[in-house]
Amino acid sequence: MRITSETQSATKVAARVAGEDIQKGDFVTVLSEIFEVPTFLWNCSDVSLPPDEPVRARFLSTATGTPYKVTVICLPFVYAKRPRGPVTCFDIRRHELVRLDRESGRSLWKLLKKKKK
């Protein structure tokens, strides 16, 4: 018995991107942010930590999934715009950005632009 199936849609994946690979016009979103606190405020360890070394923690941002269109790049800063929103500055040392599939980014951008009108 032969069974065949035709796939009507392909799965699209947002890809992690290094700062130097981001280009003007790319659609990006924030995957996570890094939060730093001084060691003297960190009480989650029994081990004594050096006082001059910050403790870094990664967390999901409230902007996760929101599409941004890159307008200007001056590393380590990436300036991007939301649909009908202000320009936002991302510091790639603190924000982990992912590049959205171009087709998905464009269609989502148009959808959100119309929705806010």
Side-chain angles (χ1 to χ4, degrees), residues 36-113:
E36 293 184 351
V37 293
T39 53
F40 60 84
L41 293 177
W42 188 256
N43 294 325
C44 295
S45 176
D46 292 335
V47 179
S48 178
L49 298 170
D52 59 345
E53 186 176 321
V55 175
R56 292 178 181 88
R58 183 177 303 271
F59 69 97
L60 294 179
S61 170
T62 57
T64 299
T66 304
Y68 291 87
K69 188 173 185 179
V70 176
T71 55
V72 177
I73 302 159
C74 184
L75 293 179
F77 306 108
V78 174
Y79 298 89
K81 184 177 180 336
R82 290 181 10 196
R84 297 185 48 110
V87 173
T88 303
C89 177
F90 296 108
D91 183 344
I92 61 168
R93 297 169 295 184
R94 193 176 132 213
H95 296 92
E96 184 177 9
L97 300 178
V98 292
R99 182 185 297 140
L100 299 173
D101 174 66
R102 184 162 294 282
E103 182 182 322
S104 299
R106 273 194 204 132
S107 61
L108 187 56
W109 184 267
K110 287 180 184 178
L111 179 69
L112 291 173
K113 203 165 191 178

Side-chain angles (χ1 to χ4, degrees), residues 7-13 101 103-104:
T7 304
Q8 295 296 328
S9 64
T11 302
K12 297 179 177 141
V13 179
D101 174 66
E103 182 182 322
S104 299

